[in-house]
Amino acid sequence: MQISDISKELKNNSYPGRGIILGRNGDCAVIAYFIMGRSENSRNRVFTEDGDGIKTKAFDESKMKDPSLIIYAPVRVLNGCTIVTNGDQTDTIYDFMQKGKTFEDALRTREFEPDEPNYTPRISGVLSGFDYKLSILKSAEGNPASVRRYFYEYTAPLSGQGHFIHTYKTDGNPIPSFEGEPELVKIEGDIDTFTKCIWDSLNADNKVSLFTRYINIKTGEVQTRIVNKNK
């Protein structure tokens, strides 16, 4: 698989929707999660810290219309494992893993979002040490009667590389779902360089919030950055 420049990937796509990047850079495991929005309701959000994780929150509570699919905890940490998703399946994965069950067990109880006609995929990841897994739950070519569940596992990832999965292939109406395997992308620089690269590459009109984290596997040091368009 050809390795891509994440900056170019994002600049060439006005609406990838919500995206997860998991990977490795030197001694650090790397995480990124971003959200975008086209509607006022989707754009009216910020990321805030919530213990070891984060949650989404309305920026202006008076403008919040329907919180059901946009207010959730994208990142939670359990026993050194970091869970990152684009919806409330974060809690499903957390609860299953807390009971000794697996990432896959949890997601086999879930499906895509019920937001007709887009049927937005649910994307999820879990990282332990350098190793990570990614998943996408999709409708069958826009048919809500059928769900397709895909799982990808990466053991001993190479430094300077990560995998990128996002909800939408590109903008549209309805919005077409992501297709194929997670994209192999370069990961370069320290956390601030990485964060700036992603944030500056996201479409200026549609980007909403970004979370990044570098976890030094040797020392245990954790560095986190949160960038919100709404301030």
Side-chain angles (χ1 to χ4, degrees):
M1 181 182 290
Q2 184 176 357
I3 191 164
S4 300
D5 183 323
I6 186 62
S7 178
K8 290 181 180 177
E9 288 289 312
L10 293 173
K11 286 178 179 177
N12 290 332
N13 190 346
S14 64
Y15 201 64
R18 287 164 274 176
I20 298 171
I21 301 169
L22 298 180
R24 177 182 178 180
N25 190 4
D27 293 334
C28 292
V30 175
I31 305 167
Y33 177 64
F34 65 78
I35 58 174
M36 306 180 81
R38 299 192 304 177
S39 68
E40 182 183 39
N41 200 42
S42 291
R43 291 177 174 181
N44 180 36
R45 289 184 288 174
V46 293
F47 285 165
T48 62
E49 292 188 85
D50 184 27
D52 291 333
I54 61 169
K55 61 183 178 181
T56 61
K57 180 182 177 183
F59 175 66
D60 184 341
E61 296 284 355
S62 68
K63 293 181 179 179
M64 178 58 64
K65 296 175 182 177
D66 178 8
S68 61
L69 294 175
I70 63 172
I71 301 300
Y72 55 94
V75 178
R76 296 187 69 182
V77 178
L78 175 66
N79 300 328
C81 294
T82 304
I83 303 160
V84 52
T85 89
N86 72 322
D88 63 11
Q89 73 268 26
T90 311
D91 298 333
T92 305
I93 296 167
Y94 185 97
D95 292 343
F96 268 65
M97 289 177 62
Q98 197 171 41
K99 296 173 184 176
K101 297 183 180 180
T102 67
F103 176 74
E104 294 85 355
D105 290 336
L107 290 171
R108 289 188 180 110
T109 70
R110 302 301 303 268
E111 57 182 41
F112 47 85
E113 296 182 358
D115 59 336
E116 185 182 4
N118 297 317
Y119 301 113
T120 298
R122 290 190 186 272
I123 56 172
S124 307
V126 63
L127 180 146
S128 178
F130 290 123
D131 300 342
Y132 56 90
K133 299 178 181 181
L134 288 166
S135 171
I136 185 168
L137 314 181
K138 301 169 54 176
S139 67
E141 299 171 11
N143 186 332
S146 179
V147 60
R148 295 174 177 172
R149 297 182 177 90
Y150 299 89
F151 299 95
Y152 305 91
E153 186 169 1
Y154 305 91
T155 303
L158 301 178
S159 179
Q161 296 185 2
H163 288 87
F164 175 37
I165 195 166
H166 42 101
T167 51
Y168 305 128
K169 183 178 179 181
T170 186
D171 206 345
N173 192 19
I175 317 172
S177 294
F178 178 88
E179 294 179 354
E181 291 185 34
E183 300 162 11
L184 181 64
V185 296
K186 294 178 186 176
I187 297 180
E188 300 175 308
D190 61 15
I191 189 170
D192 292 313
T193 300
F194 179 64
T195 303
K196 187 176 189 304
C197 171
I198 296 174
W199 185 250
D200 289 351
S201 302
L202 291 167
N203 181 273
D205 293 328
N206 295 325
K207 65 184 178 183
V208 176
S209 295
L210 168 66
F211 161 90
T212 59
R213 176 166 288 172
Y214 271 37
I215 304 168
N216 189 305
I217 301 303
K218 284 189 175 181
T219 67
E221 180 188 11
V222 177
Q223 294 179 288
T224 299
R225 302 289 185 268
I226 292 175
V227 186
N228 292 307
K229 186 175 181 180
N230 294 312
K231 297 179 181 179

